[in-house]
Amino acid sequence: MIRRTSGRQTHTIQRGAEFVSRSTTEDIVLCGNSLSDAILQDLNAKLIYLLIDNATLVTRLSERADNDYGKSESELAEIRHRHRVLDDRFLSKATVIDATLPLETVVAKVIDQLQ
């Protein structure tokens, strides 16, 4: 089961571990791009990394109309840095899904990996 939450939520590592430990019968999908996600990977049965190239990432950030985050130079620089770090960290450890594909295709591939 995938649950969606609105707004930005910040969880400490301890709260993330507590969240995972509370569920004994349902799949939990934790999504995000925090560098601290690497600490939580040991709690996950399956690690899925949505891979996107830098050009597509920048284009998507610049074209979205519902959120201005990533449009300033400083935010874009931070996002690019995180992108490089996360690629280095997860490409060899995760099931990689091409996130440049249409959204419906990416979602279907994620769900396939969870089954």
Side-chain angles (χ1 to χ4, degrees), residues 1 6 27 29 35 40 46-47 51 55 59 62 79 93 95 97 100 105 111 113:
M1 174 180 210
S6 61
D27 290 334
V29 178
L35 296 177
L40 289 174
K46 167 109 23 195
L47 182 63
L51 180 64
T59 299
S62 68
I79 291 168
K93 298 176 185 176
T95 297
I97 295 176
T100 64
T105 304
I111 291 171
Q113 288 298 318

Side-chain angles (χ1 to χ4, degrees), residues 4-77:
R4 296 181 188 271
T5 59
S6 61
R8 292 183 185 193
Q9 297 179 347
T10 303
H11 297 284
T12 63
I13 299 305
Q14 293 81 14
R15 289 207 50 205
E18 289 169 15
F19 181 72
V20 170
S21 68
R22 282 195 313 244
S23 177
T24 57
T25 60
E26 295 182 20
D27 290 334
I28 295 175
V29 178
L30 301 174
C31 304
N33 66 355
S34 169
L35 296 177
S36 64
D37 287 348
I39 297 169
L40 289 174
Q41 74 186 10
D42 291 339
L43 300 173
N44 298 314
K46 167 109 23 195
L47 182 63
I48 299 171
Y49 187 69
L50 303 180
L51 180 64
I52 189 169
D53 62 273
N54 200 35
T56 303
L57 174 66
V58 171
T59 299
R60 287 183 180 175
L61 288 169
S62 68
E63 291 178 351
R64 68 181 177 181
D66 64 337
N67 189 328
D68 287 335
Y69 182 72
K71 293 186 179 183
S72 75
E73 286 301 318
S74 61
E75 291 170 344
L76 186 57

